Amino acid sequence: MELFQQRWNELAAIKRELAERDWFPATSGNLAIKVDDEPATFLVTASGKDKRKETEEDFLLVNSKGEPATDTKLKPSAETLLHVEIYQRTNAGCSLHVHTVDNNVISELYGDIGSIQFTGQEIIKAFGLWEEDAMISIPIIPNFAHIPALATAFSEHVKTDAGAVLIRNHGITVWGRNALEAKKYLEAFEFLFSYHLKLRLFR
Amino acid sequence: MELFQQRWNELAAIKRELAERDWFPATSGNLAIKVDDEPATFLVTASGKDKRKETEEDFLLVNSKGEPATDTKLKPSAETLLHVEIYQRTNAGCSLHVHTVDNNVISELYGDIGSIQFTGQEIIKAFGLWEEDAMISIPIIPNFAHIPALATAFSEHVKTDAGAVLIRNHGITVWGRNALEAKKYLEAFEFLFSYHLKLRLFR
Amino acid sequence: MELFQQRWNELAAIKRELAERDWFPATSGNLAIKVDDEPATFLVTASGKDKRKETEEDFLLVNSKGEPATDTKLKPSAETLLHVEIYQRTNAGCSLHVHTVDNNVISELYGDIGSIQFTGQEIIKAFGLWEEDAMISIPIIPNFAHIPALATAFSEHVKTDAGAVLIRNHGITVWGRNALEAKKYLEAFEFLFSYHLKLRLFR
Amino acid sequence: MELFQQRWNELAAIKRELAERDWFPATSGNLAIKVDDEPATFLVTASGKDKRKETEEDFLLVNSKGEPATDTKLKPSAETLLHVEIYQRTNAGCSLHVHTVDNNVISELYGDIGSIQFTGQEIIKAFGLWEEDAMISIPIIPNFAHIPALATAFSEHVKTDAGAVLIRNHGITVWGRNALEAKKYLEAFEFLFSYHLKLRLFR
């Protein structure tokens, strides 16, 4: 139970910080953090909540299939299946999904190509890549309205314990071995998106 | 009286959050929330207040015509008539009006056309539209200085319990069945406006 | 003395709010509020302070010439003379000077013309102009490094109890009959500047 | 020990303020403040921390070579060598390094030229330059992944007790005689970068 509370607090801290940046417009976005491995459980944001508020009902515990692990009236986020793919396929400990104007614009500008690559940027070290001309790439998948179809397309890109996928005109999903790494990946990508767009205005 | 206080607190929470985003420049903007149906009363922001401050005089109770329902020296917002149209014509529970740079720019760019449509964007689900190519449209009306004339033009677009209207070079008014829905509509439209403008810079 | 404390608190509240918006980059900006008429005294920001901090030394009382009215080691802001012009020539009660990126860009783009006009914008009502096609104009003066020369150029535009002047590549100075009006003018002009620039990107 | 705590508090205040502006994306950025001259010691940010959080492990004391001056499990920031260059070559008392979108865009647009100059801007007075047409220049160096190589390129531009260097596609490092001056330089340059980019959109 202590572990449960610790993970809850970690996720609540991330939710608070991202909410301050307005990265959950119109109740969008969802967050998850792994609690246990045997049996596999994770905390995920409840559906339809105003993420600017902090309550006892912000998260609920779900099992490896994304179903409530306890008796609750709360519904897991509609996109819980994406988080399920992450925890089933990797050793990730935390996963974050947010909508920002810049990640949406990037996803539309490069959606037909199917990915965008960044290189020659210091912030790429956040991904653990330390060479001078390190490159980081993020796939862009179509935004299937049918969540299981979306989860299938998404799962093709879930191969490592830390990673990220852009969903076209929808948002970014990132994951990492723990909460700090997931947030680091998220902030690094958002910085790259904003940098890329601003620079492109002058080119 | 408990209901009155509950509605006051809901509206105060929204005012605080929107004020933090600076969505009430120069004392602009006004907010309302329904308190009772029989007789119809709603709380509305008092005229000319600095919405960054929180006081006992932020809101006053008005009747179905927008007149003070109690003995008070406070004046209802000059645009109370728009809120009156909403509560008379629908079952809305909350209505919000704010000026932002982006909603003003959109209203001017598309004002001659009289509306703007959005499609292919995940955030459209915030309007309860779940299909893959769902479309949302928002009308843009002229900014008549005469408030009753503005209210008449506005009322033509007030047909459902949740909706929105852009007033050219003025701002957006949204309404919903309750405070959460009204704020969700507001944030979803502001996201769409900002996304549309940013993307258009690259097209 | 009560009046002194009341005015201090009003000015401190404005300073706090503008600091949160980062409108005092690099210790720039200065604020003043009138305390008494006979003899004329006003509070003005002390020179060189970090305006993100709140201390007992944020403001000092000066006389009608802008000289310290009490024994103090604090130096009034280098631009106190501009505030002196305002209180000598009008019945203003509060005056604010801030540097923002947008007011600097506007001042450079239209500096050769010597002014910029705005019309057809709802926020113009903040200036007490209620007609449908009301127009507001703000003069842009050169940024003389010699403060007395700057004060002279500035004073030519100080004719009413509420007004504003842009100093080229420097910032805006606004004043009003009281703290609320001065802040309202400031926010209205900053909104107009940001709106104008964003719209111009698409024209 | 009192001095140690005083410096810690000064650096913690700067960290808090810059973190609120999101100037430490993805755990990037590092800060230092001199504690003593004989022997030379300074506080520097520990490696890999989330700078939005405030803990007892945010900073550690290092010697003139940038090695821990006390027994600690904390690692100094990977870029501590840059701060070492500053304290060895000047009488600076504080040094700050941050990544922002605008300082990265400027560094890329003008990186081939090797510097950017600003003139005719009031904020230049923040650098202690009071003439009407004062000019301030900032060098832009390549972003060598090898930190000692980066430190060598950097050190060529460390000649005065207050100054700044842009590292291409990486960020800005500023220093000053004390914490206030370092922050003033940082904010002045960031203002100049944002002003320059916004103005260039219209030219």
Side-chain angles (χ1 to χ4, degrees):
Chain A
M1 202 56 186
E2 264 181 43
L3 186 64
F4 175 90
Q5 193 59 46
Q6 189 184 321
R7 294 293 179 252
W8 180 290
N9 293 348
E10 284 182 68
L11 202 58
I14 287 185
K15 180 166 102 37
R16 191 181 311 129
E17 184 177 332
L18 304 188
E20 281 171 15
R21 289 183 192 146
D22 280 325
W23 282 7
F24 300 123
T27 79
S28 69
N30 40 77
L31 314 174
I33 195 162
K34 198 202 281 187
V35 174
D36 247 321
D37 273 314
E38 289 294 336
T41 53
F42 59 93
L43 282 164
V44 68
T45 37
S47 185
K49 303 279 178 184
D50 179 348
K51 289 181 188 68
R52 278 267 185 155
K53 294 197 164 52
E54 294 188 38
T55 76
E56 300 283 303
E57 303 193 331
D58 286 347
F59 313 120
L60 71 159
L61 196 71
V62 297
N63 64 21
S64 65
K65 293 175 185 165
E67 302 158 341
T70 59
D71 191 29
T72 177
K73 61 179 210 288
L74 297 173
K75 278 183 56 180
S77 162
E79 288 161 355
T80 298
L81 275 188
L82 300 191
H83 300 282
V84 164
E85 294 291 342
I86 291 165
Y87 298 111
Q88 279 187 348
R89 291 165 186 274
T90 75
N91 288 311
C94 182
S95 46
L96 312 171
H97 167 62
V98 300
H99 301 201
T100 68
V101 168
D102 283 5
N103 72 32
N104 272 260
V105 170
I106 287 279
S107 79
E108 174 63 11
L109 288 176
Y110 300 97
D112 285 346
I113 299 170
S115 71
I116 180 168
Q117 297 183 347
F118 302 97
T119 188
Q121 239 292 345
E122 174 70 12
I123 208 93
I124 290 173
K125 288 184 184 166
F127 304 111
L129 304 170
W130 296 83
E131 313 85 68
E132 199 154 310
D133 287 317
M135 199 193 67
I136 185 83
S137 177
I138 182 167
I140 307 172
I141 63 172
N143 185 28
F144 299 109
H146 184 58
I147 301 295
L150 183 62
T152 300
F154 178 80
S155 69
E156 285 176 32
H157 303 283
V158 181
K159 292 168 180 160
T160 50
D161 296 342
V165 171
L166 264 177
I167 309 172
R168 190 163 179 170
N169 285 324
H170 180 154
I172 192 173
T173 299
V174 301
W175 61 95
R177 271 153 287 232
N178 50 50
L180 178 60
E181 189 174 57
K183 191 162 79 82
K184 192 162 69 170
Y185 266 58
L186 175 59
E187 292 180 353
F189 272 119
E190 291 294 329
F191 185 89
L192 287 167
F193 299 154
S194 297
Y195 167 78
H196 179 88
L197 291 177
K198 189 121 191 198
L199 185 61
R200 201 176 134 161
L201 285 178
F202 300 98
R203 285 273 163 91
Chain B
M1 202 56 184
E2 264 182 43
L3 186 65
F4 175 91
Q5 193 58 47
Q6 189 184 321
R7 293 296 178 250
W8 180 291
N9 293 349
E10 285 182 68
L11 200 58
I14 287 184
K15 180 166 101 40
R16 191 181 311 129
E17 184 177 333
L18 304 189
E20 280 170 17
R21 289 181 192 148
D22 280 325
W23 282 7
F24 301 123
T27 80
S28 68
N30 39 77
L31 315 173
I33 195 163
K34 199 202 280 189
V35 175
D36 248 320
D37 273 316
E38 290 292 337
T41 53
F42 59 93
L43 281 164
V44 69
T45 37
S47 185
K49 303 280 178 185
D50 179 349
K51 291 181 187 66
R52 277 268 184 152
K53 294 198 164 49
E54 294 189 36
T55 75
E56 300 283 303
E57 303 193 330
D58 286 347
F59 313 120
L60 71 160
L61 195 71
V62 296
N63 64 22
S64 65
K65 293 175 185 165
E67 303 158 340
T70 59
D71 191 27
T72 177
K73 61 179 210 284
L74 296 174
K75 279 183 57 184
S77 163
E79 288 162 356
T80 298
L81 275 187
L82 300 192
H83 299 282
V84 164
E85 295 290 341
I86 292 165
Y87 298 111
Q88 280 187 346
R89 290 164 187 274
T90 75
N91 288 312
C94 182
S95 46
L96 311 171
H97 167 63
V98 300
H99 301 202
T100 69
V101 168
D102 283 5
N103 71 33
N104 271 259
V105 170
I106 287 279
S107 79
E108 174 62 12
L109 289 176
Y110 299 96
D112 285 347
I113 298 171
S115 71
I116 181 169
Q117 298 182 347
F118 302 97
T119 188
Q121 240 291 344
E122 174 70 12
I123 208 93
I124 290 173
K125 288 184 185 166
F127 305 110
L129 304 168
W130 297 82
E131 313 85 68
E132 200 153 308
D133 287 318
M135 197 193 68
I136 185 82
S137 177
I138 182 169
I140 307 172
I141 63 171
N143 185 28
F144 299 110
H146 184 57
I147 301 295
L150 183 62
T152 299
F154 178 81
S155 68
E156 285 176 31
H157 303 284
V158 182
K159 292 168 180 161
T160 50
D161 295 343
V165 172
L166 264 178
I167 310 172
R168 190 163 180 172
N169 285 323
H170 180 152
I172 192 174
T173 299
V174 301
W175 62 96
R177 270 153 288 232
N178 50 49
L180 178 60
E181 189 175 57
K183 190 161 81 83
K184 192 162 68 168
Y185 266 58
L186 175 58
E187 292 180 353
F189 272 119
E190 291 296 328
F191 185 90
L192 287 168
F193 298 155
S194 296
Y195 167 78
H196 179 88
L197 291 176
K198 190 124 191 194
L199 185 61
R200 201 176 133 160
L201 284 178
F202 300 98
R203 284 275 162 91
Chain C
M1 201 58 184
E2 265 182 41
L3 187 64
F4 175 90
Q5 194 57 49
Q6 189 184 321
R7 293 295 179 253
W8 180 291
N9 293 350
E10 285 181 68
L11 201 58
I14 287 184
K15 180 166 102 39
R16 190 181 310 127
E17 184 177 332
L18 304 188
E20 280 170 17
R21 289 181 193 149
D22 279 325
W23 282 7
F24 301 122
T27 79
S28 69
N30 39 77
L31 315 174
I33 195 164
K34 198 201 283 187
V35 175
D36 248 320
D37 273 314
E38 290 292 338
T41 53
F42 59 92
L43 283 164
V44 68
T45 37
S47 186
K49 304 280 178 184
D50 180 349
K51 290 180 187 67
R52 277 268 185 154
K53 294 196 164 52
E54 295 189 36
T55 76
E56 300 283 304
E57 303 193 329
D58 286 347
F59 312 120
L60 72 159
L61 195 71
V62 297
N63 64 21
S64 64
K65 294 174 184 165
E67 302 159 342
T70 59
D71 192 28
T72 177
K73 63 178 209 286
L74 297 173
K75 277 184 58 182
S77 162
E79 288 162 355
T80 298
L81 275 187
L82 300 191
H83 299 282
V84 164
E85 294 291 341
I86 291 165
Y87 298 112
Q88 279 187 348
R89 291 165 186 273
T90 74
N91 288 312
C94 182
S95 46
L96 311 171
H97 167 62
V98 301
H99 301 201
T100 68
V101 167
D102 283 5
N103 71 34
N104 271 260
V105 170
I106 287 278
S107 78
E108 175 62 11
L109 289 176
Y110 300 96
D112 287 345
I113 298 171
S115 72
I116 182 170
Q117 299 182 345
F118 301 98
T119 189
Q121 240 291 343
E122 173 71 11
I123 208 95
I124 290 174
K125 288 183 185 167
F127 304 111
L129 303 169
W130 297 83
E131 311 84 68
E132 200 152 308
D133 287 318
M135 197 193 69
I136 185 83
S137 178
I138 182 168
I140 307 172
I141 62 172
N143 185 28
F144 300 110
H146 184 58
I147 302 294
L150 183 62
T152 299
F154 179 80
S155 68
E156 284 176 32
H157 302 283
V158 181
K159 292 170 180 160
T160 50
D161 295 344
V165 171
L166 265 179
I167 308 172
R168 191 164 177 171
N169 284 323
H170 180 152
I172 192 174
T173 299
V174 301
W175 61 96
R177 270 155 287 233
N178 50 50
L180 178 60
E181 189 176 56
K183 191 163 79 82
K184 192 162 69 169
Y185 266 58
L186 175 58
E187 293 180 351
F189 271 118
E190 292 295 328
F191 185 90
L192 287 168
F193 299 155
S194 297
Y195 167 79
H196 179 87
L197 292 176
K198 190 124 191 195
L199 184 62
R200 201 177 131 159
L201 285 177
F202 299 99
R203 285 275 163 90
Chain D
M1 202 56 184
E2 265 181 40
L3 186 64
F4 175 91
Q5 193 58 47
Q6 190 184 322
R7 293 295 179 253
W8 181 291
N9 294 348
E10 285 182 68
L11 202 59
I14 287 184
K15 181 166 99 44
R16 190 181 311 128
E17 183 178 333
L18 303 188
E20 281 171 16
R21 288 181 194 149
D22 280 325
W23 283 8
F24 301 123
T27 80
S28 68
N30 39 78
L31 314 174
I33 194 163
K34 199 202 283 185
V35 174
D36 247 319
D37 274 313
E38 290 293 337
T41 53
F42 60 92
L43 283 164
V44 68
T45 37
S47 186
K49 303 280 179 183
D50 180 348
K51 290 179 187 69
R52 277 269 185 155
K53 293 196 164 53
E54 296 189 36
T55 76
E56 300 283 302
E57 303 193 330
D58 286 346
F59 314 120
L60 71 159
L61 195 71
V62 298
N63 65 20
S64 64
K65 293 174 184 165
E67 302 158 343
T70 59
D71 192 28
T72 177
K73 61 179 211 286
L74 297 173
K75 279 184 57 181
S77 162
E79 289 162 355
T80 298
L81 275 188
L82 300 190
H83 298 283
V84 164
E85 295 291 343
I86 291 165
Y87 298 112
Q88 279 187 348
R89 291 165 186 273
T90 74
N91 288 312
C94 182
S95 46
L96 312 171
H97 168 63
V98 301
H99 301 201
T100 68
V101 168
D102 283 5
N103 73 33
N104 272 260
V105 170
I106 287 279
S107 79
E108 175 62 11
L109 288 176
Y110 299 96
D112 286 346
I113 297 171
S115 71
I116 181 170
Q117 299 182 346
F118 301 98
T119 188
Q121 239 292 343
E122 174 70 12
I123 207 96
I124 290 173
K125 288 184 184 166
F127 304 111
L129 304 169
W130 298 82
E131 311 84 69
E132 199 153 309
D133 287 318
M135 199 192 67
I136 186 82
S137 177
I138 183 169
I140 307 172
I141 64 172
N143 185 28
F144 299 110
H146 185 56
I147 301 294
L150 183 62
T152 300
F154 178 80
S155 68
E156 285 176 32
H157 301 285
V158 181
K159 292 168 182 161
T160 50
D161 295 343
V165 171
L166 265 178
I167 309 171
R168 190 164 178 171
N169 284 324
H170 181 154
I172 192 173
T173 300
V174 300
W175 62 95
R177 271 155 287 233
N178 50 50
L180 177 60
E181 190 175 56
K183 191 161 79 82
K184 193 162 67 170
Y185 266 58
L186 175 58
E187 292 180 352
F189 272 119
E190 292 295 329
F191 185 89
L192 287 168
F193 299 154
S194 297
Y195 167 78
H196 179 87
L197 292 176
K198 188 123 191 196
L199 185 61
R200 202 177 131 159
L201 285 177
F202 300 98
R203 284 273 162 92

